[in-house]
């Protein structure tokens, strides 16, 4: 692979250069490039989508070239719209992806995304041994099929010839940067989500590599999230319209950068997001997970880490409810569905939904569970079922928040964002279920804004990412309704107990699945 020169930390930028940085967020179904100045103003934006393929049940993969094309097009469209020169690019990326490359850097596999569950058996084996939890605590990554570690085991067992032919294993952002800058690197943030790096030493974990059956030489070089690659290739410069000497900040994972984009950068400030999926994360100054392994711990910078958990089932649960319970409202009827849910009482008349339509991640980190309604009576109507689905998403996030606290973290403030924030009912419901005020910042593009801020720090344009707390303007703070909060507080222990109670049933259902008629095709795709 190519050799290169990079710098870590502050990189000098000429004083006469306008302070404009383009944050590039490589997401699950699209890449978005957004240009910001150092006052946090958005100057230009462009997004390019691509498919998430599921060629077999449990697979969720993508063509790396399509993603690279989307990155180049989104950057070039933003550059064409700007009047000001670009001081640098900075990257965010979805975490947990895995691509096998040949010695020349060409993909031998698709990009296997976090939503891929083919490595379920391998993950369950790892979780079952005593060293599984120790591995989680050491690497910060839960033992789950989303993680590259079980995926590597799957390739070794199911595709041994392909596995032996792979020269390098990388993530999607690593490969994009290889094509943009001719440098094979992985930042500490993305690496902390592979299950292969010791978060306490910031080095590849020897036991994890042995389990995976790979060597350190097969992985990219570990660098700080503020590492700066000093130039683009001539071909990329020509395509994007940028000078070859445009600095490229390696950047970080989309989860930690979403905290930064919401201004949740200080200990005790929790960032909550509900898009297609959902997450709850708090920034801490030292790495660590809770004793039971209910949370992840991913890096942002040397002194900033995010502890929290992601859930598979967020806004996608509402989409499912529309398709299954109210198809008469049409495909894009989110407002009508929420209006229906508002007709049902708090607690949905005693109806509880476990919203595990796409299994689940935090805090149980298991691919086993399925969705379930419990407490259904003849008196319930579709408005109760829809409301219970929304409440189930919020209650699952409340379990994640409990795990965040169990890891020894104070929770003083919650900031929330994502598509759900457009709904007044969901805003109030989240505050009621969590039993805490929830602040909603004015619109920012989350991870792309976080990437731009990290890039500004790396390029010496701002003194520290701590300025994010001041740059993000709070639009509204929703306080819990005491009566509703009391109802949800009474229901939450039951919601938590139902998972444990149904594990035997989930296990039996999986055992019986091969002998039953084929599972119906989903009416909505896998979560982002």
């Amino acid at each position: 692979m190519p050799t290169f020169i990079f710098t870590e930390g502050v990189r000098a930028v000429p004083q006469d250069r306008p302070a404009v940085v383009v944050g590039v967020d490589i997401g699950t179904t699209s890449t978005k490039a957004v240009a910001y100045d150092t006052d946090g103003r958005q100057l230009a934006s462009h997004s390019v989508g691509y498919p998430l393929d599921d060629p077999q049940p449990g697979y969720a993969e993508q063509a790396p070239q399509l993603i690279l094309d989307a990155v180049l097009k989104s950057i070039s469209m933003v550059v064409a719209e700007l009047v000001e020169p670009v001081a640098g690019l900075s990257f965010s990326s979805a975490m947990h992806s895995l691509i096998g490359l040949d010695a020349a850097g060409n993909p031998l596999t698709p990009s296997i995304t976090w939503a891929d569950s083919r490595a379920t058996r391998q993950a369950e084996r790892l979780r079952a041994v005593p060293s599984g939890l120790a591995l989680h605590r050491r690497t910060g990554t839960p033992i789950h099929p989303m993680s590259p570690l079980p995926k590597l085991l799957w390739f070794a067992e199911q595709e041994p010839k392909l596995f032996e032919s792979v020269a390098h294993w990388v993530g999607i952002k690593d490969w994009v940067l290889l094509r943009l800058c001719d440098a094979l690197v992985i930042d500490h943030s993305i690496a902390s989500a592979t299950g292969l790096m010791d978060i306490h030493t910031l080095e590849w974990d020897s036991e994890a590599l042995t389990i995976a059956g790979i060597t350190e030489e097969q992985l990219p070089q570990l660098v700080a999230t503020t590492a700066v690659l000093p130039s683009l290739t001539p071909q990329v410069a020509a395509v994007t319209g940028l000078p070859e000497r445009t600095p490229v900040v390696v950047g970080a994972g989309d989860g930690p950068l979403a905290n930064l984009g919401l201004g949740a950068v200080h200990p005790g400030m929790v960032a909550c997001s509900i898009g297609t999926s959902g997450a709850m994360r708090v920034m801490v100054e030292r790495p660590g997970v809770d004793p039971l392994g209910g949370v992840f711990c991913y890096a942002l910078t040397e002194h900033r880490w995010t502890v929290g958990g992601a859930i598979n089932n967020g806004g996608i649960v509402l989409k499912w409810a529309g398709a299954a319970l109210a198809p008469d409202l049409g495909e894009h009827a989110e407002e009508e569905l929420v209006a229906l849910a508002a007709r049902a009482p708090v607690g949905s008349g005693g109806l509880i939904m476990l919203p595990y339509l796409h299994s689940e991640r935090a805090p149980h980190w298991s691919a086993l569970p399925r969705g379930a309604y419990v407490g259904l009576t003849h008196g319930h109507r579709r408005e109760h079922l829809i409301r219970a689905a929304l409440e189930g998403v919020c209650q699952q996030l409340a379990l994640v928040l409990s795990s965040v606290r169990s890891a020894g973290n104070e929770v003083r403030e919650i900031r929330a964002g994502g598509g759900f924030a457009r709904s007044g009912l969901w805003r109030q419901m989240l505050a009621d279920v969590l039993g805490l005020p929830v602040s909603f910042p004015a619109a920012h593009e989350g991870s792309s804004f976080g990437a731009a801020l990290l890039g500004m720090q790396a390029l010496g344009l701002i003194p520290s990412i701590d300025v994010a707390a001041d740059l993000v303007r709070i639009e509204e703070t929703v306080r819990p309704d005491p009566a509703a909060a009391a109802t949800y507080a009474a229901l939450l222990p039951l919601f938590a107990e139902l998972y444990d109670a149904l594990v035997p049933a989930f296990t039996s259902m999986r055992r019986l699945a091969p002998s039953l008629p084929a599972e119906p095709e989903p009416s909505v795709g896998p979560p982002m």
Side-chain angles (χ1 to χ4, degrees), residues 60 77 80 136 165 172 210-211 255 258 306 323 340 370 400 413 442 448 459 514:
M77 295 298 288
H136 177 179
S165 68
I172 186 60
T210 299
I211 291 170
T306 53
L340 264 177
R370 297 290 192 98
V400 176
E413 179 182 352
S448 62
L459 297 170

Side-chain angles (χ1 to χ4, degrees), residues 277-483:
S277 55
M280 188 81 72
R281 301 172 298 268
V282 64
M283 203 77 77
V284 299
E285 296 176 346
R286 291 181 300 277
V289 300
D290 64 300
L292 298 178
V295 295
F296 57 63
C297 181
Y298 300 146
L300 178 58
T301 64
E302 183 181 0
H303 300 296
R304 287 286 190 277
W305 299 74
T306 53
V307 170
I311 64 173
N312 284 356
N313 304 281
I316 200 167
V317 176
L318 181 62
K319 289 184 179 294
W320 168 83
L325 304 174
D328 52 299
L329 297 181
E331 287 188 21
H332 304 287
E334 286 80 5
E335 290 185 11
E336 291 88 346
L337 289 167
V338 172
L340 264 177
R343 289 163 47 182
V346 170
S348 302
L351 182 63
I352 292 175
M353 182 196 184
L354 303 184
Y356 308 140
L357 304 181
H358 292 274
S359 69
E360 195 47 282
R361 285 183 285 172
H364 304 295
W365 303 105
S366 173
L368 184 65
R370 297 290 192 98
Y373 278 102
V374 178
L376 191 64
T377 73
H378 73 285
H380 289 119
R381 298 293 179 263
R382 65 178 182 175
E383 55 261 35
H384 297 88
L385 274 71
I386 295 169
R387 184 180 185 108
L390 302 186
E391 290 177 338
V393 172
C394 294
Q395 286 165 322
Q396 190 68 24
L397 286 168
L399 295 185
V400 176
L401 186 63
S402 177
S403 292
V404 168
R405 285 184 166 129
S406 295
N409 300 294
E410 179 189 9
V411 176
R412 294 184 290 100
E413 179 182 352
I414 296 177
R415 294 189 176 190
F420 91 106
R422 293 189 293 270
S423 163
L425 177 68
W426 261 32
R427 287 188 178 208
Q428 186 63 56
M429 185 183 293
L430 183 65
D432 293 341
V433 171
L434 298 181
L436 292 166
V438 180
S439 297
F440 294 86
H444 262 304
E445 297 294 345
S447 298
S448 62
F449 183 49
L453 287 170
L454 185 66
M456 290 173 192
Q457 173 180 306
L459 297 170
L461 300 173
I462 59 175
S464 164
I465 57 173
D466 290 347
V467 303
D470 299 321
L471 290 178
V472 176
R473 180 175 61 85
I474 299 300
E475 180 180 71
E476 180 188 12
T477 297
V478 177
R479 302 188 180 281
D481 174 83

